[in-house]
């Protein structure tokens, strides 16, 4: 049995490892889209992920209750929207650019929490949002002279908002539900919802058989299952802020894999990607001097 006292940095190393896999998934998805339409690809991807999680968590899958079904449906809905929109966007841009735009979900989470639950964001969150916005401006490739978002960028940003809601919902239901059962349910609902949405966006036929497609789907299914289970295990031992900083490496790894695959971002877009990553990190950074000042102000009241 794993002993955390012997390997105290194992959770952090595990998160770094899955972040590398996560970053590599963008170029993998883009390759898979050569053989399938976007929404059906996402539906098949999460069906494969559900099967993988069921195989890994079989002994935990007993006694589903209404709250778990409700939580699974809500999370599955935003997963379907988030990854569906992201995958559609990948048809029009490089995997590197998609990863940088998707990473904007990190500073978006506290902003949305502010609107929904009235939790006032930390000053560092606002600074991170500012840097992320500047990065978005440069990622468009236009700079400040003419800020225009093309269809793929708009769709990917909407997907980023949906993924931010996924994080919020997971946090909201945490501690109220069984992680294994909800993970299976959210993947099943995400897959079913995408199968239902596909005809509405003109995707009426399942993709033809290609061994490359099924190899990609199996790989992504296993990767998604492993990522989810490792996150659930590691984040019980890793501070959320530290985890968010580790996840900021996702678009960096996506850019590395994209570069290896022959993608070339412009210097302006690379600067934008750097600012997005900096914004993600800074939005979760809590300098000790600010925390100390905040504590003193609270005590003086």
């Amino acid at each position: 049995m794993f002993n955390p006292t012997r390997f105290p940095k194992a959770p952090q190393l595990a998160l770094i490892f899955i972040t590398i896999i996560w970053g590599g998934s963008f170029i993998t998805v883009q390759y898979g889209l050569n053989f399938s339409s976007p929404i059906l690809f996402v539906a098949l991807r999460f069906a494969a992920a559900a099967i993988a999680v069921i195989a890994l968590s079989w002994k935990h899958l007993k006694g589903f209750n209404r709250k778990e079904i409700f939580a699974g449906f809500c999370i599955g809905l935003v997963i379907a929207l988030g990854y569906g929109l992201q995958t559609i966007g990948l048809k029009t841009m490089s995997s590197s650019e998609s990863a940088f735009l998707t990473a904007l979900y990190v500073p978006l989470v506290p902003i949305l929490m502010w609107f929904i639950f009235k939790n006032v964001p930390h000053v560092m969150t606002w600074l991170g949002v500012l840097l992320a916005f500047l990065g978005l401006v440069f990622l468009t490739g236009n700079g400040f002279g003419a800020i225009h978002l093309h269809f793929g960028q708009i769709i990917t940003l909407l997907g980023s908002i949906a993924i931010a809601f996924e994080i919020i919902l997971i946090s909201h239901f945490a501690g109220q539900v069984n992680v294994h059962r909800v993970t299976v349910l959210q993947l099943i609902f995400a897959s079913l919802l995408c199968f239902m949405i596909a005809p509405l966006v003109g995707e009426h036929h399942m993709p033809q058989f290609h061994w490359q497609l099924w190899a990609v789907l199996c790989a992504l299914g296993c990767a998604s299952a492993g990522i989810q289970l490792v996150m659930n295990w590691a984040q019980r031992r890793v501070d959320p802020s530290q985890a968010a900083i580790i996840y900021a490496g996702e678009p960096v790894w996506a850019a590395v894999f994209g570069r290896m695959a022959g993608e070339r971002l412009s210097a302006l877009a690379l600067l934008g990607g750097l600012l997005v990553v900096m914004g993600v990190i800074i939005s979760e950074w809590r300098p000790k001097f600010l925390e100390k000042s905040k504590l003193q102000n609270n005590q003086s009241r």
Side-chain angles (χ1 to χ4, degrees):
M1 184 177 292
F2 176 75
N3 183 357
T5 60
R6 293 183 59 189
F7 305 97
K9 294 297 182 182
Q12 289 87 343
L13 292 174
L15 288 181
I16 291 171
F17 179 68
I18 65 164
T19 299
I20 296 172
I21 297 175
W22 203 347
S25 69
F26 285 84
I27 195 72
T28 308
V29 170
Q30 195 167 54
Y31 176 74
L33 290 176
N34 291 318
F35 310 99
S36 174
S37 54
I39 301 300
L40 285 173
F41 180 86
V42 176
L44 291 168
R45 171 185 179 175
F46 285 114
I51 293 170
V53 174
I54 289 171
L56 292 170
S57 308
W58 183 255
K59 63 181 181 180
H60 300 282
L61 304 182
K62 294 180 181 179
F64 288 93
N65 58 52
R66 290 182 180 179
K67 177 165 279 190
E68 289 167 347
I69 294 171
F70 178 69
F73 175 79
C74 292
I75 298 171
L77 174 62
V78 291
I79 287 176
L81 291 173
Y83 285 87
L85 292 169
Q86 179 196 84
T87 305
I88 292 172
L90 267 169
K91 296 282 287 185
T92 67
M93 69 178 72
S94 69
S95 64
S96 307
E97 184 180 356
S98 176
F100 283 123
L101 290 174
T102 300
L104 289 167
Y105 76 84
V106 176
L108 277 174
V109 167
I111 301 300
L112 292 173
M113 291 285 285
W114 180 34
F115 284 115
I116 298 170
F117 300 111
K118 308 303 180 184
N119 296 336
V120 179
H122 194 279
V123 64
M124 298 304 292
T125 298
W126 290 115
L127 181 56
V129 169
L130 175 61
L131 283 173
F133 174 75
L134 292 175
L136 172 62
V137 170
F138 290 124
L139 268 172
T140 65
N142 310 119
F144 287 101
I147 301 174
H148 297 298
L149 294 172
H150 63 64
F151 173 77
Q153 291 170 332
I154 294 171
I155 286 293
T156 304
L157 285 173
L158 291 175
S160 180
I161 295 171
I163 293 172
F165 275 109
E166 175 196 353
I167 303 300
I168 292 170
L169 287 172
I170 288 174
S171 297
H172 176 71
F173 288 112
Q176 305 177 45
V177 294
N178 178 278
V179 170
H180 295 273
R181 292 196 289 266
V182 167
T183 300
V184 168
L185 286 170
Q186 67 192 42
L187 292 171
I188 290 174
F189 278 122
S191 178
L192 290 175
L193 287 166
C194 283
F195 277 122
M196 293 170 63
I197 293 170
L200 302 178
V201 295
E203 299 182 22
H204 299 286
H205 303 288
M206 290 289 288
Q208 295 182 351
F209 176 81
H210 293 279
W211 69 265
Q212 299 99 319
L213 172 62
W214 295 108
V216 165
L217 289 171
C218 288
L220 286 172
C222 292
S224 297
I227 286 170
Q228 187 65 56
L229 291 173
V230 169
M231 286 174 66
N232 292 335
W233 167 76
Q235 285 196 224
R236 290 182 294 179
R237 299 172 175 84
V238 178
D239 181 79
S241 297
Q242 186 181 18
I245 291 172
I246 293 172
Y247 295 149
E250 175 202 343
V252 176
W253 286 111
V256 169
F257 286 112
R259 179 85 178 181
M260 292 168 61
E263 293 181 356
R264 296 294 184 271
L265 289 177
S266 67
L268 199 61
L270 285 172
L271 174 60
L274 176 62
L275 288 173
V276 168
V277 172
M278 288 177 61
V280 168
I281 293 173
I282 287 175
S283 70
E284 295 296 330
W285 181 37
R286 301 294 180 263
K288 290 184 178 179
F289 73 91
L290 283 179
E291 295 301 298
K292 185 177 179 180
S293 175
K294 182 179 178 180
L295 179 61
Q296 289 174 346
N297 289 334
N298 290 336
Q299 290 175 343
S300 64
R301 291 178 181 176

